[in-house]
């Protein structure tokens, strides 16, 4: 199920990329870009009367939830998802939240709340199996858990003028006067009735690390179906002076594949390491 993501970072995106969210409820974009009390999760298979005059009941299905991802870090975004896209016990983790407040970004402990909701794709009329993820506070960008020894407070955010980039073109982001460049490459661009589809499209990133220029391939897919990679946010989460990246690495219009790259996890001769991924499917 597509998330209720409202990183209004989609302001500059192509239509196909923005179609990935059927509803949105999150935070505004960085300054450099064209800018309810949650339900409590119900017990497994609980039965709730729909109304005093109705013989029908609503069944809350929380069976067969996904296992916890086997990654050192984990991320989640606010939204409504299929039940197998949010793992069992996620609300019990100690989460940090990146919030956008008063034109700045702040990292601090955050409460993640999960409720069981109707999944319009998979549920029958009186069944609720979807998982809705919400923050107890407004203006959340994303949730993060597993980042050790991190300093809470304001997060320095990179400046960039666009969030998507065509093959053969560059996307530049800067932090503290240092520039980093994402170069997009691809073999061809296919046009059809449904939009566009790249072939062998990928991103390389280059920038300075310890006084040397480093270039690294971030990601690549062989085929695309009316989708494109998106830079959602760049900022120094781990406080090492190099901006970290939150990307959507989807290669299909019906899939969102959110990935967090941290510079502090990178090995020798690398700028970044992918530390967490969260994938959701629309139908």
């Amino acid at each position: 199920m597509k998330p209720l993501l409202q990183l209004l970072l989609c302001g500059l995106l192509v239509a196909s990329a923005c179609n990935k969210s059927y509803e949105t409820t999150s935070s505004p974009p960085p300054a450099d870009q064209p800018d309810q009390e949650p339900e409590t999760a119900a017990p497994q298979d609980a039965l709730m009367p729909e109304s005093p005059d109705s013989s029908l009941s609503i069944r809350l299905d929380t069976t067969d939830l996904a296992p916890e991802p086997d990654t050192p870090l984990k991320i989640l975004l606010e939204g409504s998802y299929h039940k197998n896209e949010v793992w069992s016990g996620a609300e019990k983790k100690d989460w940090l939240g990146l919030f956008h407040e008063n034109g700045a970004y702040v990292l601090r402990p955050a409460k993640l709340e999960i409720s069981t909701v109707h999944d319009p794709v998979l549920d029958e009329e009186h069944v609720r199996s979807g998982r809705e993820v919400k923050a107890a506070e407004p203006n959340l960008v994303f949730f993060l858990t597993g980042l050790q020894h991190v300093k809470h407070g304001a997060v320095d955010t990179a400046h960039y003028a666009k969030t998507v980039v065509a093959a053969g073109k560059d996307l530049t982001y800067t932090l503290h006067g240092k520039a980093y460049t994402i170069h997009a490459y691809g073999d061809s661009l296919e046009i059809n009735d449904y939009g566009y589809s790249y072939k062998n499209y990928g991103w390389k990133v280059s920038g300075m690390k310890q006084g040397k220029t480093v270039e690294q391939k971030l990601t690549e897919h062989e085929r695309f179906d009316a989708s494109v990679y998106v830079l959602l946010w760049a900022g120094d989460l781990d406080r090492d002076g190099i901006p970290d990246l939150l990307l959507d690495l989807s290669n299909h219009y019906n899939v969102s594949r959110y990935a967090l790259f941290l510079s502090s996890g990178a090995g020798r001769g690398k700028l970044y390491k992918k530390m967490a991924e969260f994938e959701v499917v629309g139908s």
Side-chain angles (χ1 to χ4, degrees), residues 32 159-162 170-174 178-182 231:
D32 61 317
H159 297 279
Y160 45 97
K162 54 186 176 180
D170 293 339
L171 184 165
T172 299
Y173 54 102
T174 61
K178 295 181 180 179
Y180 302 81
T181 300
I182 291 173
L231 171 62

Side-chain angles (χ1 to χ4, degrees), residues 83-97:
K83 68 176 183 179
N84 63 346
E85 293 173 340
V86 179
W87 71 90
S88 177
E91 67 275 18
K92 299 176 183 178
K93 307 290 288 188
D94 292 326
W95 291 95
L96 296 172

Side-chain angles (χ1 to χ4, degrees), residues 70-85:
D70 185 21
T71 55
L73 272 65
K74 300 164 185 64
I75 57 173
L76 281 174
L77 286 78
E78 286 187 313
S80 290
Y81 307 100
H82 301 312
K83 68 176 183 179
N84 63 346
E85 293 173 340

